[in-house]
Amino acid sequence: MKVLLPDSIPLDLDLPGAVTYAVDQPIPADHLDAEVLVAWGNPAWQLRDAASRLTELRWVQTLAAGPDAVLAAGFGPHVVITSGAGLHDKTVAEHTLALVLAAARRLNLLVRAQIGHRWAAELGGLQPVRETANFRTLRDAHVVVWGFGGIAATLAPLLAALGARVTGVAQSAGTRHGFPVVTASSLPALLPTADVLINILPATASTARIVDASILGLLPAHAWLVNVGRGNTVDESALLTAVRGGHLAGAALDVFETEPLPASSPLWDEPNVLITPHAAGGRPLGAADRIRSNYEALVAGKPLSHVVS
């Protein structure tokens, strides 16, 4: 069984029939008989090319947490697709925490002041212990996490350790990992109490621009939006209007509808918008173990893990 491994990540794997391919080039003709494709960092055109030319393919393992790029490539219905869900929980949680703290401590404004050689005295020195009109600390803050999966399960205890009250939003309500979780039907009552809304939603037909003007309008004016899910889940025009109009304090964004974010985007120049270049993940931890265990399951005729339905 020929297994195609990407050259975009070092993988300590000794699998029979494994060969390395370049993710920025078409699959070579002598590898079109491959039955397994591991994807990581592949451009869309390359995945589409693989979907049309790898006629013997049985399984695609993407190392990305969200399988949207692989799903969009058009692999046949007989091809099993498994995701990299769980491989990015720690790295994305760490980056998300950094964005939340940067928003609270106004690092966006402090960096701008540093560039201008200005001592931002208004953001230093004596500060009020509690500010009801501003989000300045995680102590007693209410953080709502929309998309309460593995990343949120890793992130929530970190937020709670710094004093935040965390509420999750998912498809089903209950208690997960010790935190209350509600459904989206509770958002009208929930969001007006939030200091931060963290979006970790995947890209699906039902989540396209789901964080729109109506959702943003439910948040109090001092709240921040943090997006580490997928860029197309947020209506960027509505977000920009909300921030510019003072209806939302700011946004910390790691993902965007168009990536790289065009230089012409007005988001770049907003002082209360933090931008990172899809940097939250990018380091699939345990990738080799995931590939190996799924490969062994495939050979043994057993169910693979993290299958995308």
Side-chain angles (χ1 to χ4, degrees), residues 97-189:
L97 180 63
L99 292 179
V100 173
L101 290 173
R105 292 309 180 116
R106 298 298 189 267
L107 293 191
N108 53 311
L109 301 179
L110 292 170
V111 169
R112 285 172 176 260
Q114 178 182 353
I115 293 172
H117 296 194
R118 184 180 73 85
W119 184 264
E122 72 279 8
L123 296 174
L126 303 181
Q127 300 290 317
V129 175
R130 296 182 182 275
E131 288 193 56
T132 57
N134 292 292
F135 168 59
R136 294 297 300 273
T137 178
L138 279 172
R139 284 180 290 104
D140 301 321
H142 185 198
V143 180
V144 175
V145 183
W146 197 356
F148 206 89
I151 294 170
T154 303
L155 173 64
L158 304 178
L159 297 169
L162 292 173
R165 177 169 62 94
V166 180
T167 303
V169 181
Q171 292 184 341
S172 59
T175 300
R176 298 187 188 178
H177 309 283
F179 295 92
V181 176
V182 301
T183 64
S185 62
S186 296
L187 288 175

Side-chain angles (χ1 to χ4, degrees), residues 27-283:
I27 302 296
D30 55 345
H31 294 328
L32 295 182
D33 58 341
E35 295 179 64
V36 178
L37 175 70
V38 178
W40 177 240
N42 307 57
W45 69 263
Q46 201 265 5
L47 288 173
R48 289 194 299 269
D49 178 74
S52 65
R53 295 171 61 229
L54 296 178
T55 57
E56 303 298 317
L57 205 61
R58 298 171 58 193
W59 163 44
V60 175
Q61 170 72 66
T62 176
L63 300 182
D68 41 295
V70 169
L71 292 176
F75 290 97
H78 63 285
V79 178
V80 178
I81 295 174
T82 56
S83 79
L87 302 181
H88 303 269
D89 291 356
K90 292 181 179 178
T91 54
V92 176
E94 183 178 48
H95 193 84
T96 307
L97 180 63
L99 292 179
V100 173
L101 290 173
R105 292 309 180 116
R106 298 298 189 267
L107 293 191
N108 53 311
L109 301 179
L110 292 170
V111 169
R112 285 172 176 260
Q114 178 182 353
I115 293 172
H117 296 194
R118 184 180 73 85
W119 184 264
E122 72 279 8
L123 296 174
L126 303 181
Q127 300 290 317
V129 175
R130 296 182 182 275
E131 288 193 56
T132 57
N134 292 292
F135 168 59
R136 294 297 300 273
T137 178
L138 279 172
R139 284 180 290 104
D140 301 321
H142 185 198
V143 180
V144 175
V145 183
W146 197 356
F148 206 89
I151 294 170
T154 303
L155 173 64
L158 304 178
L159 297 169
L162 292 173
R165 177 169 62 94
V166 180
T167 303
V169 181
Q171 292 184 341
S172 59
T175 300
R176 298 187 188 178
H177 309 283
F179 295 92
V181 176
V182 301
T183 64
S185 62
S186 296
L187 288 175
L190 183 67
L191 291 185
T193 71
D195 298 293
V196 182
L197 171 61
I198 298 176
N199 173 22
I200 319 182
L201 290 169
T204 66
S206 62
T207 61
R209 297 191 177 183
I210 195 170
V211 183
D212 57 11
S214 62
I215 291 294
L216 296 172
L218 294 172
L219 291 164
H222 71 270
W224 276 68
L225 171 71
V226 176
N227 189 15
V228 292
R230 284 291 184 263
N232 69 347
T233 63
V234 173
D235 184 334
E236 292 176 359
S237 177
L239 173 61
L240 188 64
T241 298
V243 173
R244 283 181 170 175
H247 305 298
L248 192 69
L253 309 172
D254 184 57
V255 288
F256 302 87
E257 191 159 14
T258 300
E259 295 183 0
L261 184 65
S264 59
S265 172
L267 291 171
W268 287 110
D269 297 318
E270 282 302 309
N272 286 317
V273 172
L274 279 159
I275 291 174
T276 57
H278 206 137
R283 309 163 188 83

